[in-house]
Amino acid sequence: MRFAVMAFGLCACLAAGATVASGMAVERSPQPRARPSEAAAQAIRVSDPDQMRGAAPEDDAGFQRWIRNFRAVALKRGISARTFQRAFAGVTLNTYVLERDRNQSEFTKTIWQYLDSAASAQRIANGREAMRKYARVLDQIQRRYQVDKSVVVAIWGLESNYGTHRGTVPIIGALATLAYEGRRGRFFETQLIDALRIIQDGDVSPTQMTGSWAGAMGHTQFIPSSYLAYAVDFRGDGKRDIWSNDPTDALASTAAYLHRFGWQEGQPWGIEVRLPAGFDYALSNRRIKKTASQWERLGVRTATGAPLPDHGPGSVLLPAGAKGAAFMVYHNFGVIERYNSADAYVIAVGYLASRIDGGPPIRHSWPLGDRALTFAERKELQTRLTRAGFDTHGVDGRIGPDTIKAIRAYQRHAGLIPDGYASSRLLQRLRG
């Protein structure tokens, strides 16, 4: 249950100032973020239009020396001197980027709070409007890549609020600043080389290459390495343009990305289900997959009580533990995970896509009295579990499979429902 998407922490809203799509009301994205398969790339979007704050002269001097040294590295990796000169003209140390990197907000929303924003009435309405406005090109994209167009639109809605918040930070300066800063220097140097390759290929000019402070770009927020690997020129004009007001290439690139990782057209990401009394909550595990008939024999039904449809092997997911909604998730859940690895994000994409298509809201109630654990509390939970003999195999503040396994073991030991849910009540109990 990976709900605290830290990318290094939380991804927040993009800067104002991007062009607003005609006819759509503006609503900020609740938690848009970059490609998760490069874990280090998950990062906060820009929320301050003053994103070009430069460094004091004495601070920038070291950065300029770094640029001169980096030039030799870039040239050895195939970047031309002309491209480098164009890209770095006027680039100075961006202290705004450093501030955002060092002082990242933490995502502390519960799953239901996040979904309320991610699939709000306004975002659903804007998504339906986007489906109407771009119907022809979306149909073409779906035919070519066999990826459901509503899912592509939902990703667009979460990543940049349908293109209204694409980010305005100059990417070369941002990546160079982060590479120079050094905490993840190797990763950002690689992204910077890839950004220079994009400029050298002629897809975008240095001044037009803008996005988030951590390097995510365009309508659906590709980082440079993902762009080079998966972006497509769907319009056929010789450029893979994810930055312009026309979202065609960006939407097609997102579909190409999902297709590359095995999207099965027509299969849902998941469906809401009803669990029977006495359900063995140890079975709510992504690693446990069963057929529809096998789950039915265990008493699992759809949220309306109907027999389970056969969408292939599925797993039970409990994003808020035994007291919240339950979902049967399928192969395509894992494909969306390649775009962003947080369960909350994947559920939000699938749920928003379903609602755009006219699907029903989630039926089951949520444990509204709960709150999300802070990063410090998640680390405390891991520490206390390990000290109590239920090893989480590390204290990193991330509720991953090892921590969930430890929570289940503790819950069984304490006579609780072993749903693996990291709640504030559980932490309080561990505190004694």
Side-chain angles (χ1 to χ4, degrees):
M1 278 168 275
R2 295 156 293 187
F3 304 123
V5 182
M6 315 253 329
F8 330 113
L10 154 77
C11 300
C13 299
L14 290 170
T19 302
V20 177
S22 173
M24 289 188 190
V26 175
E27 179 183 33
R28 286 185 181 273
S29 294
Q31 189 191 345
R33 56 182 77 77
R35 209 61 59 253
S37 52
E38 295 86 356
Q42 300 173 20
I44 303 175
R45 300 292 189 260
V46 176
S47 59
D48 185 342
D50 181 22
Q51 32 76 3
M52 279 297 292
R53 289 200 291 273
E58 61 273 17
D59 296 328
D60 191 56
F63 180 60
Q64 296 302 325
R65 286 193 297 272
W66 180 89
I67 291 176
R68 289 193 292 272
N69 291 332
F70 182 71
R71 181 180 183 277
V73 175
L75 267 55
K76 286 182 180 178
R77 297 186 186 179
I79 305 302
S80 71
R82 181 176 180 275
T83 296
F84 193 92
Q85 182 177 355
R86 288 176 58 220
F88 277 90
V91 170
T92 59
L93 187 69
N94 192 326
T95 58
Y96 174 79
V97 169
L98 293 178
E99 289 168 9
R100 295 306 299 265
D101 186 44
R102 293 168 181 169
N103 300 286
Q104 294 180 45
S105 301
E106 185 187 350
F107 179 48
T108 57
K109 286 184 179 180
T110 61
I111 179 66
W112 53 93
Q113 290 169 332
Y114 176 53
L115 291 178
D116 280 348
S117 177
S120 67
Q122 188 63 69
R123 201 176 307 278
I124 293 167
N126 286 352
R128 290 172 179 168
E129 172 60 24
M131 292 277 279
R132 287 190 292 270
K133 182 175 181 179
Y134 296 100
R136 184 179 63 84
V137 72
L138 285 168
D139 286 342
Q140 292 172 346
I141 289 170
Q142 180 167 303
R143 283 196 297 272
R144 180 174 300 183
Y145 297 107
Q146 297 87 50
V147 173
D148 300 72
K149 59 188 176 182
S150 59
V151 173
V152 174
V153 170
I155 289 174
W156 186 25
L158 289 184
E159 292 292 349
S160 70
N161 196 27
Y162 309 108
T164 62
H165 297 91
R166 302 196 292 271
T168 58
V169 175
I171 292 296
I172 296 299
L175 291 175
T177 294
L178 290 166
Y180 169 73
E181 188 259 357
R183 286 193 297 136
R184 292 167 302 281
R186 181 173 298 179
F187 171 78
F188 283 113
E189 280 194 19
T190 299
Q191 295 303 314
L192 181 54
I193 292 291
D194 285 344
L196 292 169
R197 287 196 177 106
I198 294 168
I199 293 170
Q200 186 161 279
D201 289 345
D203 283 336
V204 67
S205 69
T207 56
Q208 292 174 320
M209 181 183 269
T210 57
S212 82
W213 66 261
M217 307 175 296
H219 288 264
T220 53
Q221 296 291 282
F222 274 61
I223 59 172
S225 59
S226 289
Y227 174 94
L228 287 176
Y230 306 108
V232 298
D233 171 23
F234 197 78
R235 293 188 299 179
D237 61 358
K239 295 182 179 181
R240 298 180 290 176
D241 185 2
I242 64 173
W243 297 272
S244 72
N245 291 336
D246 183 347
T248 298
D249 283 357
L251 298 177
S253 296
T254 299
Y257 185 99
L258 296 175
H259 176 77
R260 165 66 177 76
F261 289 106
W263 184 267
Q264 295 179 7
E265 185 180 7
Q267 183 195 72
W269 65 277
I271 60 172
E272 188 182 0
V273 294
R274 180 189 301 174
L275 303 180
F279 179 74
D280 180 4
Y281 285 91
L283 296 175
S284 58
N285 187 324
R286 287 286 307 286
R287 295 173 181 171
I288 297 175
K289 301 181 187 297
K290 296 181 183 293
T291 65
S293 60
Q294 288 173 324
W295 283 119
E296 283 190 347
R297 286 196 291 271
L298 293 170
V300 180
R301 298 290 184 270
T302 69
T304 62
L308 293 176
D310 186 3
H311 294 301
S315 304
V316 172
L317 180 67
L318 300 173
K323 295 185 177 181
F327 301 94
M328 185 69 63
V329 299
Y330 303 102
H331 168 81
N332 282 343
F333 187 97
V335 178
I336 301 173
E337 254 185 334
R338 299 300 298 260
Y339 210 90
N340 189 298
S341 61
D343 286 350
Y345 179 88
V346 181
I347 294 170
V349 167
Y351 181 50
L352 177 58
S354 172
R355 298 287 281 135
I356 289 171
D357 277 339
I362 293 170
R363 292 174 177 270
H364 199 283
S365 61
W366 297 101
L368 300 180
D370 283 359
R371 64 171 179 80
L373 295 177
T374 66
F375 181 64
E377 286 174 330
R378 291 194 296 273
K379 292 179 71 174
E380 181 187 352
L381 177 69
Q382 291 171 322
T383 299
R384 290 185 179 275
L385 283 168
T386 300
R387 287 177 180 172
F390 305 93
D391 193 355
T392 61
H393 300 284
V395 176
D396 58 5
R398 296 192 53 196
I399 308 301
D402 288 337
T403 299
I404 292 172
K405 182 178 179 181
I407 291 172
R408 289 188 196 277
Y410 171 78
Q411 288 171 325
R412 291 192 196 94
H413 176 78
L416 305 173
I417 294 175
D419 59 9
Y421 182 49
S423 67
S424 57
R425 296 189 310 277
L426 180 68
L427 177 58
Q428 194 61 42
R429 185 182 182 101
L430 282 162
R431 287 170 175 168

